[in-house]
Amino acid sequence: MAKVIIFSGAGISAESGISTFRDSDGLWENYKIEEICSAGCLDWNYDATIEFYDKRREDIADKLPNKAHTEVCKLQKMFPKEIKIITQNVDDMFEKAGCNDTLHLHGFLREVRCEACGFLDDIGYEKLSNVYDACPRCHHNLRPNVVFFGEAAPKYADLYKELQDCEMLVVIGTSGNVINTDMFLNSQIRYSILNNLEPSPAINDTLYKKVLYKKATEAIDEIVSDVKRFLDT
Ligand code: APR
């Protein structure tokens, strides 16, 4: 298990041109969570839900990782055993930056899966209906491999495993409304950094050793130096 966790949310991808959820003009200002991203939506609102995720996939097709993703990936490759990248994001910016062992807590937009038989496939940036009419194994409807509100998030178990050995926590670009990183800050965590564009009512920033309210691409050099210093001592 890694000593340093770099934990991110939608803010790290904002400068790649991918919408956040709760900032002004964020996705949840323009869509209703209860209609396209809540448990049960696939039963009563299948077409609109699928269309929403088709659009999200299309949206990220031409997006590129920004400096924050690339620097985090470079750093993780320098210290592969000591650093774990964990993200709430379903986009593929870390993968495009070259990191393929990122833990995606809320799923991965490029993937679709079958709830009946477990079939899973990466369809890239395609519309689901261009690739599959139904599950090729059992003919059940396919769904985006994304965790909806009210659904279980199986990868949270891996997050808690990783936290067992964590001594430094870096949080980049999350409002803390869904996962509140304050609760990770136990006495074993000797150093912590919070980087967001602005304070969030859900996060108690006095709990973090260093707070950087600026764009992730502007904060990343300082974050990288702090992680290197931490791992060298
Ligand atoms: N650099 C750093 N932080 C930024 C930037 C930026 N360029 N732009 C925005 N932010 C910060 C905002 O200040 C805010 O705190 O990113 C955060 C975005 O918060 P949310 O939109 O709530 O995104 P997130 O916390 O990742 O949402 C969590 O909610 O809808 C669900 O499943 C979805 O994984 C998502 C979860």
Side-chain angles (χ1 to χ4, degrees), residues 45-222:
N45 204 15
Y46 184 81
D47 290 347
T49 305
I50 294 299
E51 193 187 316
F52 174 75
Y53 287 96
D54 282 347
K55 174 99 182 56
R56 303 276 74 72
R57 234 175 273 118
E58 188 189 329
D59 276 352
I60 63 164
D62 63 349
K63 300 295 185 293
L64 295 172
N66 63 52
K67 184 181 170 187
H69 300 107
T70 54
E71 290 300 316
V72 165
C73 285
K74 253 198 269 169
L75 186 64
Q76 199 270 340
K77 282 186 189 305
M78 283 168 77
F79 303 97
K81 290 211 178 78
E82 288 91 347
I83 299 178
K84 183 72 190 170
I85 303 174
I86 302 182
T87 188
Q88 297 170 90
N89 298 345
V90 295
D91 68 49
D92 60 353
M93 294 301 109
F94 284 118
E95 286 70 20
K96 279 185 177 170
C99 266
N100 289 311
D101 58 353
T102 299
L103 175 57
H104 285 271
L105 296 172
H106 294 158
F108 196 54
L109 202 42
R110 290 188 344 213
E111 291 173 346
V112 293
R113 76 167 200 273
C114 174
E115 279 179 313
C117 75
F119 172 81
L120 180 77
D121 193 25
D122 183 337
I123 61 166
Y125 310 103
E126 290 291 331
K127 265 183 164 187
L128 174 56
S129 62
N130 286 348
V131 185
Y132 294 112
D133 294 330
C135 175
R137 275 202 222 139
C138 75
H139 308 293
H140 195 269
N141 273 345
L142 290 171
R143 62 163 288 168
N145 188 26
V146 168
V147 177
F148 292 180
F149 288 89
E151 292 184 334
K155 300 284 184 193
Y156 283 15
D158 299 335
L159 162 70
Y160 287 107
K161 256 187 235 149
E162 292 290 344
L163 279 165
Q164 283 173 9
D165 290 335
C166 178
E167 294 176 31
M168 175 174 184
L169 177 70
V170 178
V171 177
I172 307 176
T174 178
S175 64
N177 279 291
V178 173
I179 298 181
N180 191 329
T181 52
D182 297 359
M183 69 186 177
F184 301 162
L185 296 169
N186 57 31
S187 56
Q188 179 189 297
I189 296 188
R190 293 184 283 123
Y191 201 73
S192 50
I193 303 177
L194 171 68
N195 164 227
N196 268 330
L197 202 53
E198 52 197 29
S200 162
I203 293 181
N204 177 358
D205 59 13
T206 64
L207 298 173
Y208 297 78
K209 295 267 195 279
K210 181 180 274 189
V211 177
L212 301 167
Y213 286 130
K214 52 169 86 168
K215 291 180 175 172
T217 54
E218 290 165 5
I220 199 65
D221 288 341
E222 186 171 344

